[in-house]
Amino acid sequence: MSVGNSSREQRKQVSSTELWLGPMRLTQDPIQVLLVFAKEDSQSDGFWWACDRAGYKCNIARTPETALECFLDKHHEIIVIDHRHSRYLDAEAVCRSIRATKPSEHTTILAIVPRVASDQEEMSVLPLLNVGFNRRFVENGSMIACYNELIQIEHGEVRSQFKLRSCNSIFTALDNCQEAIEITSEDHVIQYVNPAFERMMGYHKEELIGKELTELTKSDKNRADLLDTINTCIKKGKEWQGIYFARRKSGDSIQQNVKVTPVIGQGGKIRHFVSMKKLCNSNDNNKQIYKINREDNPLAESHSFRLKNRRKESVDVRSITSRSSDAPSLQNHRYSSMARIHTMTIEAPITKVINIINAAQENSPVTVAEALDRVLEILRTTELYSPQLGTKEEDPHTNDLVGGLMTDGLRRLSGNEYVFSKNMHHSHSHLSVPITINDVPVPPRIAELLEDEGSWDFNIFELEAVTSKRPLVYLGLKLFACFGVCEYLNCTEATLRSWLQLIEANYHASNSYHNSTHAADVLHATAFFLQQENVKGSLDQLDKVAALIAATVHDVDHPGRTNSFLCNASSELAVLYNDTAVLESHHAALAFQLTAKDNKCNIFKNMDRTQYRTLRQAIIDMVLATEMTRHFEHVNKFVNSINKPIAAEDSNSNSEGSDFECSTNIRNSPENRILIKRMMIKCADVANPCRPLNLCIEWAGRISEEYFAQTDEEKRQGLPVVMPVFDRNSCSIPKSQISFIDYFITDMFDAWDAFAHLPNLILHLTENYKYWKSLDELKCKSLRCSSD
């Protein structure tokens, strides 16, 4: 594109340049040059053709106004300004106007100055440097001279500035790092601290930068010679790592695990020291934790004593048998052990069932006995609740969904044999600091939207838009107030607001699906279900509060990848939770860690211990219920323990009063209340196909994009692709939705509707299913026509 009065435009295309900043690989796009000449002459032509030869993109501006406009649009790396004819162009004014803009920080500006007669004295470059020029070029219309000047600038200033610009990414990483980082000069003057350091030490960076380390108060808990030991080590260029006590601004001493690394710079000398610091638990802390655990579980000591006695008895038995050389005696011991197993008084329910069937077989006809053998074979498998699928060719979408959502990164080979596909490392993201929402009235537009929160057709995406992607705080405050959560927890609304902000800050806004909007949507669905008469009559206030909190935190810090991906990548979370319910365990654990970390956000701080433990267990149980590997177990237990008994009572009862009383007893038993809460959050978590069509379509696009991104990353990392159909170049979203509804949604929502009576949801589900079917059939018809 040409600018001003010039009609020229560079068209030559060149490839990007690869550069390295330490171990960091950078790619620099072709250089952009702006020529500022009031009129065309041999000098402007020389630089024009030099740019063409070097492969640079070039623009020409004729006036100061167009020069500034063009620069602000393109952000050129090099600007060449004609400083020879002040009556045509005020070069210094142009330079100053460009230097006044932020983008010019990394731009090199070259002044073209006139030749000096041999009898005149050479002028100083200082006036040019003071104005903002970086270099000067004595006029020379030779294209080669211009070319050489530009090439030198590229290999010197331009590449240096490009590397400096790239350092912004490194500082962004440091600013978001959870470890406390401190960088000092070789003289131990503080040059940089990251936010984690500020939080750990209680200082603001402005109080630290520029100070010597010796100016900060030291803890008296370190041994006298520790600092000398550290300095002796690091001044030799060696890394030091160990335990160090530091004093916070408040005066408290904290124990840190510290690593200090010298950084070699100019002249081969140490120019910086980088310190990485983590808090570590002191023995006192460990003792306190142990004490709390013992108080939480008063039976721990007696249980531990029993275990010790059992181990002692086992040792005695082994020692007796090993000392005995009497083979029949050893055999008799084995027989007696087997006899004890069959006469055990502690039986699991499945053992009782199998024993009853075995007894029934003895007096049964052959056909019945054979049928019962088949029943026993099924009961002895570990997959009691998961339906068996056909071959992959029959329904690849369903097969991939099941493989991606209901396995933990293990590929089934045959029978119960599993293998890991590949060992990779994948760290979970760092925790976030919430953006504060002051205690001010809710903005009118948000308040207007929230008036409709009682409707199932509530549009969560409108709330997402008007709250700048922070719907969870606003919706949470409204719904928690409706259910009296603050009153139950005995906490203030300010504490609840701070907690909601903290939780929302730790959802990843970069995720297309698993973000705080999804959490708000699940919270809304949970609150809607809690308002239904059968649900409301089955649960007490603790259950309702637990359900709302569980819905709020159920996907906190979700990385936008499935459990299968994390297990295949051998991520830190997968290793921590032994490849079992990895994300769900992390969500539940992190929610309580975040809550307890800051007293102003701790909504549980005023609760009675026993009440808190009961609430905590209910929340954890509901969050873990969202894990899909036990999907069919939860649904089948709900159907067999709640739907069928209530239906049987309805058909057998002659009295409305006794019918109501009996079904109430079924619903209100402690075991069944747990099943109801699990089913409720499961339905809330995947209710997208039951929302109005416009919302259903949006959610389908978002989850598909997240799965596409996972498939892309699996291919980049060489990991197994757990859901191959979710390839952004070939995936059929209608087919994936049809499979998801057929396999996971229909039966579950039929069961939930039979209990909670939600005809509007089933109507939406039916209409949405027809919509996806029609789209799929239309696409298939189109493909058939094109192939014909």
Side-chain angles (χ1 to χ4, degrees), residues 400-467:
D400 282 2
L401 279 169
V402 174
L405 299 178
M406 296 190 63
T407 62
D408 288 315
L410 301 164
R411 290 186 302 161
R412 186 183 291 270
L413 297 181
S414 60
N416 291 321
E417 183 183 349
Y418 291 85
V419 294
F420 278 110
S421 298
K422 189 167 184 179
N423 290 324
M424 299 286 286
H425 294 285
H426 185 83
S427 301
H428 66 276
S429 65
H430 298 302
L431 308 184
S432 301
V433 179
I435 299 170
T436 303
I437 299 173
N438 295 326
D439 189 6
V440 295
V442 176
R445 177 61 180 138
I446 297 176
E448 180 184 344
L449 279 175
L450 289 175
E451 287 176 3
D452 197 35
E453 53 81 20
S455 166
W456 178 252
D457 296 348
F458 177 72
N459 193 326
I460 196 69
F461 299 117
E462 288 184 2
L463 186 63
E464 178 193 60
V466 298
T467 59

Side-chain angles (χ1 to χ4, degrees), residues 133-204:
F133 289 100
N134 300 96
R135 295 168 67 101
R136 73 171 187 178
F137 179 82
V138 178
E139 65 177 330
N140 185 338
S142 166
M143 188 267 286
I144 291 298
C146 298
Y147 173 84
N148 289 340
E149 181 68 11
L150 293 176
I151 291 297
Q152 289 179 76
I153 293 174
E154 179 194 352
H155 285 259
E157 289 94 328
V158 170
R159 290 192 178 179
S160 297
Q161 290 292 341
F162 180 72
K163 291 179 180 180
L164 281 176
R165 257 197 327 271
S166 302
C167 289
N168 290 333
S169 62
I170 298 171
F171 281 111
T172 300
L174 289 173
D175 286 345
N176 289 281
C177 179
Q178 291 303 107
E179 288 186 347
I181 307 292
E182 175 192 71
I183 302 176
T184 67
S185 69
E186 65 269 39
D187 299 318
H188 303 294
V189 175
I190 299 174
Q191 299 173 313
Y192 169 84
V193 294
N194 70 343
F197 186 98
E198 293 176 271
R199 291 193 296 272
M200 180 186 287
M201 300 305 296
Y203 289 97
H204 291 294

Side-chain angles (χ1 to χ4, degrees), residues 186 234-235 237 262-273:
E186 65 269 39
I234 61 179
K235 284 183 177 179
V263 179
I264 307 300
Q266 186 180 6
K269 296 180 180 179
I270 296 171
R271 298 297 180 182
H272 308 277
F273 294 106

Side-chain angles (χ1 to χ4, degrees), residues 465-497:
V466 298
T467 59
S468 302
K469 295 188 176 181
R470 288 183 289 167
L472 188 57
V473 171
Y474 291 99
L475 184 63
L477 285 171
K478 177 74 181 290
L479 293 177
F480 278 45
C482 292
F483 285 88
V485 174
C486 285
E487 291 80 359
Y488 182 83
L489 297 176
N490 191 22
C491 73
T492 64
E493 185 179 343
T495 302
L496 175 62
R497 183 185 297 107

Side-chain angles (χ1 to χ4, degrees), residues 456-457 529 683 686-693 695-696 699 737 741 745-746 748-750 758-766 768-769 772:
W456 178 252
D457 296 348
F529 294 153
C683 289
V686 293
N688 309 334
C690 301
R691 294 287 191 182
L693 181 59
L695 305 184
C696 172
W699 283 124
Q737 287 296 300
I741 292 170
I745 298 300
T746 302
M748 182 169 71
F749 272 90
D750 281 345
L758 302 162
N760 192 33
L761 275 69
I762 301 303
L763 181 62
H764 281 316
L765 177 60
T766 305
N768 294 342
Y769 187 80
W772 294 120

Side-chain angles (χ1 to χ4, degrees), residues 352-420:
K352 293 180 181 179
V353 170
I354 290 173
N355 288 341
I356 291 170
I357 294 173
N358 280 328
Q361 275 185 309
E362 294 178 4
N363 299 314
S364 298
V366 175
T367 53
V368 175
E370 289 175 351
L372 291 176
D373 275 335
R374 177 62 183 145
V375 170
L376 289 172
E377 182 182 339
I378 294 170
L379 288 176
R380 289 187 176 109
T381 70
T382 57
E383 303 291 336
L384 291 177
Y385 293 96
S386 297
Q388 295 179 340
L389 288 175
T391 62
K392 185 161 185 167
E393 288 72 25
E394 289 176 13
D395 190 352
H397 286 80
T398 301
N399 198 291
D400 282 2
L401 279 169
V402 174
L405 299 178
M406 296 190 63
T407 62
D408 288 315
L410 301 164
R411 290 186 302 161
R412 186 183 291 270
L413 297 181
S414 60
N416 291 321
E417 183 183 349
Y418 291 85
V419 294
F420 278 110

Side-chain angles (χ1 to χ4, degrees), residues 306-350:
R306 288 199 302 273
L307 287 177
K308 287 178 182 175
N309 282 347
R310 288 180 186 173
R311 286 196 291 270
K312 186 172 185 292
E313 289 168 6
S314 298
V315 171
D316 290 342
V317 169
R318 284 198 297 271
S319 62
I320 290 169
T321 55
S322 64
R323 286 195 299 268
S324 172
S325 59
D326 187 356
S329 172
L330 181 60
Q331 190 175 17
N332 289 337
H333 175 74
R334 288 176 182 152
Y335 288 150
S336 64
S337 297
M338 291 301 296
R340 285 199 302 274
I341 289 172
H342 285 292
T343 58
M344 284 174 64
T345 57
I346 302 174
E347 279 188 308
I350 190 67

